[in-house]
């Protein structure tokens, strides 16, 4: 009610944010950056456009949770209190296709108080009405799991009073005015803090070495750490060492808890690729070193250097690879394990050939 009184708007307050994670851990720097971007422009009189922050990164790195946490923090501090909209765009979903932006617009307009019979039929008209409804309103729009730029373009309001937070496994390079935030895995201390929070501080304090091994086997990937921690919580009799040994022996398969597992989450990113890119990804599983160059991949895959570089760049845009220094590409440990597995399932016609080519 107080929202209604405050805005004097018939639509009143709209709060659609998903619940914040009770065990949210770390990310202080990233959070501060996002909050600064969201609030700075508003304090700057010259600002005349919406702020768009795109959080991107590999599967399970914590994009969604960071976006939700940022949104709650902003609302708690009195920003964007009128309207908070949320849509799961299902850019990477095993069962369902990406959400149609026109459907999202319809839902947003309904939530903004537009009677169903007044919602236009075409996407363009819906987008225009959406922009109009949000004019001069302090709205936060959280677009989770975006598939690509086209899916989000019409869901972005125009005015500087709004904030759009987007998450995606893909780099949305063609989205005008969006600032990308590349989210990396946890630091070791963030991993250990989350492990302790879920599995129990005493257990982690009692076996610091095993805890560090668990975090390491999880590659400090938040999803992996949270699954390992949940598995420990459900097995009070296990020592941390017991789980660490299981992770060492079972690797990808061992990172699961109840009916949640890591492999299917990763596999979706791979499935989204075209076959030539899938092949390059699988071949990376053959590569012995910690990082690789276009020339090495060209040899492995028996393709020209520029094609190899192009493939590596595309895999980087899909956040299946990182490029810590120019020209050198690196796979996350757990993604390397996936590549090795996939290479075994779908071997090259002459399995020894890639390594022979690499060695010559
Ligand atoms: N900062 C965090 N604190 C605590 N747990 C976290 C944090 N970030 C992520 N997690 C854990 O990791 C899981 C995966 O995080 P999240 O869903 O945000 O990943 P994502 O990057 O959005 O993945 P996807 O690409 O599949 O959408 C969460 O369900 C949660 O258990
Ligand atoms: Mg997500």
């Amino acid at each position: 009610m107080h929202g209604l009184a405050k805005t004097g708007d018939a639509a009143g307050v709209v709060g659609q944010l998903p619940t914040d994670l009770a065990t949210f851990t770390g990310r202080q720097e990233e959070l501060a950056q996002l909050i600064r971007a969201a609030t700075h422009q508003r304090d700057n009189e010259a600002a005349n456009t919406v702020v768009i922050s795109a959080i991107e990164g590999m599967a399970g790195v914590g994009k969604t949770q960071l976006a939700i946490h940022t949104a709650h923090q902003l609302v708690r501090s009195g920003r964007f209190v009128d309207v908070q909209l949320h849509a799961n765009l299902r850019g990477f979903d095993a069962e369902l296709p990406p959400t149609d932006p026109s459907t999202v617009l319809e839902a947003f307009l309904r939530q903004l108080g537009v009677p169903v019979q007044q919602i236009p039929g075409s996407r363009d008209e819906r987008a225009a009405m959406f922009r109009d409804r949000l004019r001069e309103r302090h709205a936060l729009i959280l677009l989770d799991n975006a598939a690509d730029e086209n899916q989000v373009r019409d869901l972005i309001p125009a005015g500087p009073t709004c904030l759009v937070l987007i998450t995606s496994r893909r780099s949305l390079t063609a989205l005008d005015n969006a600032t990308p935030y590349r989210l990396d895995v946890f630091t070791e201390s963030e991993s250990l803090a989350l492990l302790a929070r879920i599995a129990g501080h005493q257990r982690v304090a009692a076996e610091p070495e095993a805890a560090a091994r668990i975090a390491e086997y999880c590659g400090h990937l938040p999803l992996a750490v949270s699954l390992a921690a949940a598995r420990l919580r459900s097995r009070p009799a296990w020592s941390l060492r017991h789980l660490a040994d299981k992770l060492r022996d079972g690797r990808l398969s061992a990172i699961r808890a109840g009916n949640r597992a890591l492999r299917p989450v990763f596999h979706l990113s791979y499935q989204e690729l075209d076959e030539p890119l899938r092949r390059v990804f699988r071949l990376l599983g053959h590569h012995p070193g910690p990082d690789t160059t276009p020339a090495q991949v060209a040899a492995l895959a028996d393709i020209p250097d520029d094609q190899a570089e192009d493939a590596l760049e595309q895999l980087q845009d899909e956040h299946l690879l990182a490029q810590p220094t120019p020209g050198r590409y690196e796979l996350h440990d757990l993604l390397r394990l996936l590549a090795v597995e996939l290479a075994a399932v779908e071997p090259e016609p002459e399995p020894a050939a890639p390594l022979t080519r690499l060695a010559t």
Side-chain angles (χ1 to χ4, degrees):
M1 276 317 276
H2 94 217
L4 270 177
K6 209 163 85 185
T7 62
D9 188 303
V13 170
V14 182
Q16 298 285 328
L17 288 180
T19 316
D20 203 359
L21 194 64
T23 52
F24 189 87
T25 302
R27 303 301 198 194
Q28 289 314 307
E29 184 57 35
E30 294 86 346
L31 201 56
Q33 272 186 20
L34 288 163
I35 300 228
R36 225 178 296 130
T39 51
H40 174 75
Q41 181 155 339
R42 230 135 260 105
D43 300 335
N44 170 359
E45 301 263 312
N48 59 4
T49 115
V50 57
V51 176
I52 309 170
S53 296
I55 306 173
E56 47 182 76
M58 67 184 283
V61 80
K63 303 175 292 294
T64 298
Q65 295 306 336
L66 177 61
I68 294 174
H69 194 71
T70 305
H72 280 283
Q73 190 128 322
L74 283 165
V75 173
R76 263 199 307 277
S77 67
R79 310 262 179 175
F80 312 105
V81 286
D82 295 1
V83 177
Q84 304 117 39
L85 296 168
H86 166 261
N88 180 2
L89 299 178
R90 293 197 313 249
F92 302 82
D93 193 293
E95 272 121 45
L96 298 163
T99 320
D100 178 355
S102 190
T103 311
V104 177
L105 283 167
E106 183 188 12
F108 282 175
L109 288 170
R110 268 195 285 113
Q111 287 154 8
L112 289 165
V114 180
V116 180
Q117 60 279 17
Q118 285 176 26
I119 297 179
S122 82
R123 170 169 159 184
D124 284 354
E125 285 174 303
R126 286 178 181 180
M129 184 182 263
F130 177 64
R131 283 195 295 271
D132 184 55
R133 288 278 159 159
L134 287 186
R135 210 148 28 95
E136 291 175 21
R137 294 203 69 179
H138 295 271
L140 185 158
I141 294 112
L142 174 46
L143 304 173
D144 198 14
N145 300 317
D148 56 28
E149 292 88 344
N150 288 334
Q151 196 188 20
V152 296
R153 208 162 264 131
D154 279 343
L155 306 176
I156 296 175
T161 53
C162 296
L163 170 71
V164 181
L165 290 177
I166 304 175
T167 80
S168 183
R169 286 190 195 174
R170 204 166 271 152
S171 286
L172 305 179
T173 34
L175 196 63
D176 290 338
N177 297 327
T179 308
Y181 294 84
R182 287 177 198 90
L183 193 57
D184 207 343
V185 295
F186 272 161
T187 60
E188 184 182 33
S189 63
E190 286 173 323
S191 295
L192 292 173
L194 181 59
L195 192 64
R197 229 158 153 173
I198 297 177
H201 292 272
Q202 284 177 346
R203 282 171 95 184
V204 169
E207 288 185 86
E209 277 170 27
R213 278 174 64 213
I214 292 173
E216 181 75 30
Y217 288 137
C218 289
H220 301 292
L221 184 74
L223 174 63
V225 175
S226 78
L227 288 171
R231 200 166 173 199
L232 271 179
R233 191 184 47 196
S234 71
R235 295 286 181 272
W238 284 10
S239 64
L240 268 63
R241 190 173 151 204
H242 182 70
L243 177 65
D245 290 347
K246 273 190 178 304
L247 291 172
R248 180 196 57 208
D249 301 338
R251 300 309 312 258
L252 271 189
S253 309
I255 303 179
R256 61 185 160 82
N259 58 6
R260 297 199 306 148
L262 184 67
R263 190 188 282 104
V265 177
F266 272 4
H267 202 256
L268 266 180
S269 284
Y270 170 77
Q271 272 174 330
E272 291 274 320
L273 306 174
D274 297 335
E275 177 48 30
L277 273 188
R278 288 188 192 179
R279 174 166 175 259
V280 169
F281 182 75
R282 290 193 302 268
L283 283 168
L284 291 172
H286 287 279
H287 188 266
D291 61 9
T292 181
T293 63
Q296 289 169 329
V297 170
L300 272 175
D302 204 13
I303 54 177
D305 280 13
D306 57 346
Q307 212 172 309
E309 182 173 3
D310 206 42
L312 290 167
E313 287 290 314
Q314 285 186 54
L315 288 171
Q316 189 185 344
D317 282 341
E318 300 290 321
H319 290 286
L320 286 165
L321 273 183
Q323 190 176 182
T325 47
R328 303 204 77 91
Y329 298 82
E330 207 176 80
L331 269 182
H332 184 272
D333 281 352
L334 296 176
L335 286 170
R336 176 187 302 281
L337 292 174
L338 180 72
V340 170
E341 275 188 19
L342 291 165
V345 178
E346 274 186 79
E348 291 282 303
E350 292 172 64
L355 281 175
T356 314
R357 283 193 299 266
L358 186 65
T360 53

